[in-house]
Amino acid sequence: MKLIALQTKTTQNFQKNLNHLKDLINSCEKDSLILAPELTLSEFSYDRMKEASDFSIKAIEELKALSEDKIIALTFITKKENKFFNTLYIFHNLQIIHTQSKVKLFPLGNELEYFSAGNEEDIKIIEINGIKIATLICFELRFPQLWEKVKGADIILNPAMWGAKRKDHYESISKALALVNQCFVIASNCANDNMAKGSAIISPFGNVTKDDSKEKIEVLFDKDEIKKVRTYIDIGLNKVD
């Protein structure tokens, strides 16, 4: 299985963004796990929240249709009971496998003014084809208590729209997450000019594959790497269910 972090620019044209994302997904190998940047179809679009949430309904159906032989993960602006959320969807086998809305909203980005926080209980490990997968959305990386909720995952996803001024923070924390949890981390960040890029796939041993000039970062998933590091450097993760 290929692990793929997308590193795309987002325009003001939602349909154009969706078309480009679908082209990238179609270019990926079968059985790939593909992660797109946070709100890659719409950005935060505070002045177009209703339009963005309506567009998400259409986009979710179209992306679900591409998941027959792939795992696809990304976040959307969604609306429920007159509240807006930044919601992760994971698609596989033409189904929605998991959803979770961003719990830790970023104050410096005015997220608290426009979004409602999700439920922390939804941050959990799910299993797809015997592989344990968990997600922390962008700013959630900074909260150690949330690391406990993803402990034991084989792969941790981090879709992000992380600013350029804190590029080193993003890259350092993503690598630390892989080392501490002895797992693969897929970090997918926006490539807009004011964003940090730094998208990467980090191995359980801390080996980083990244390239700020590319739209796709790819690594072959090797579950034996997880077993090896957890055996040789035993911190108890082999015992985590």
Side-chain angles (χ1 to χ4, degrees):
M1 181 175 74
K2 280 279 186 73
L3 305 181
I4 300 175
L6 299 182
Q7 186 169 244
T8 50
K9 290 188 174 183
T10 301
T11 72
Q12 296 298 307
N13 186 320
F14 299 165
Q15 185 63 53
K16 181 179 178 181
N17 297 332
L18 176 60
N19 292 343
H20 186 54
L21 177 61
K22 289 169 67 175
D23 287 343
L24 286 171
I25 290 170
N26 285 326
S27 74
C28 296
E29 295 178 13
K30 290 183 179 180
D31 301 318
S32 296
L33 193 171
I34 305 158
L35 177 66
E38 182 182 25
L39 299 180
T40 192
L41 299 182
S42 63
E43 295 187 329
F44 283 88
S45 297
Y46 293 144
D47 58 340
R48 302 167 67 192
M49 296 288 278
K50 176 64 164 58
E51 180 187 353
S53 64
D54 288 344
F55 185 80
S56 294
I57 296 169
K58 156 191 162 66
I60 286 165
E61 290 305 310
E62 293 187 24
L63 293 169
K64 183 169 67 173
L66 298 183
S67 70
E68 182 175 4
D69 50 17
K70 295 166 184 170
I71 302 168
I72 303 166
L74 67 157
T75 75
F76 304 84
I77 293 176
T78 60
K79 188 179 182 183
K80 185 178 181 181
E81 297 175 353
N82 292 318
K83 295 179 180 179
F84 292 101
F85 298 87
N86 182 349
T87 306
L88 172 88
Y89 278 69
I90 298 180
F91 307 100
H92 181 53
N93 280 343
L94 307 177
Q95 301 293 323
I96 297 167
I97 298 296
H98 175 69
T99 64
Q100 69 186 71
S101 294
K102 191 174 184 178
V103 172
K104 299 296 185 181
L105 303 173
F106 186 48
L108 297 182
N110 298 322
E111 292 179 33
L112 290 160
E113 297 178 31
Y114 295 92
F115 286 101
S116 294
N119 188 338
E120 192 169 313
E121 292 180 1
D122 293 333
I123 301 176
K124 60 188 177 182
I125 295 171
I126 64 169
E127 193 165 314
I128 302 176
N129 296 335
I131 298 169
K132 296 177 179 179
I133 300 169
T135 305
L136 296 176
I137 301 170
C138 198
F139 186 49
E140 293 176 346
L141 273 184
R142 291 189 180 269
F143 293 83
Q145 72 269 28
L146 298 184
W147 289 32
E148 283 293 310
K149 297 184 71 66
V150 300
K151 183 170 70 175
D154 300 319
I155 303 168
I156 299 174
L157 311 179
N158 182 251
M161 189 168 270
W162 198 287
K165 292 180 180 179
R166 292 170 291 278
K167 178 178 175 66
D168 180 63
H169 293 195
Y170 185 63
E171 295 176 357
S172 298
I173 298 171
S174 297
K175 183 174 181 178
L177 183 65
L179 289 169
V180 169
N181 286 279
Q182 297 180 326
C183 68
F184 285 88
V185 167
I186 306 178
S188 175
N189 194 30
C190 179
N192 287 9
D193 292 342
N194 60 337
M195 292 293 123
K197 297 183 181 177
S199 299
I201 297 167
I202 305 140
S203 81
F205 285 99
N207 298 316
V208 179
T209 301
K210 72 182 184 74
D211 187 334
D212 283 358
S213 70
K214 289 185 177 180
E215 280 196 310
K216 288 198 306 184
I217 316 297
E218 303 180 62
V219 165
L220 193 64
F221 175 68
D222 183 357
K223 197 169 183 178
D224 285 342
E225 283 197 56
I226 300 168
K227 183 178 179 180
K228 191 182 297 181
V229 71
R230 291 181 181 179
T231 300
Y232 292 155
I233 309 174
D234 186 3
I235 59 173
L237 288 178
N238 278 327
K239 302 177 183 67
V240 176
D241 292 327

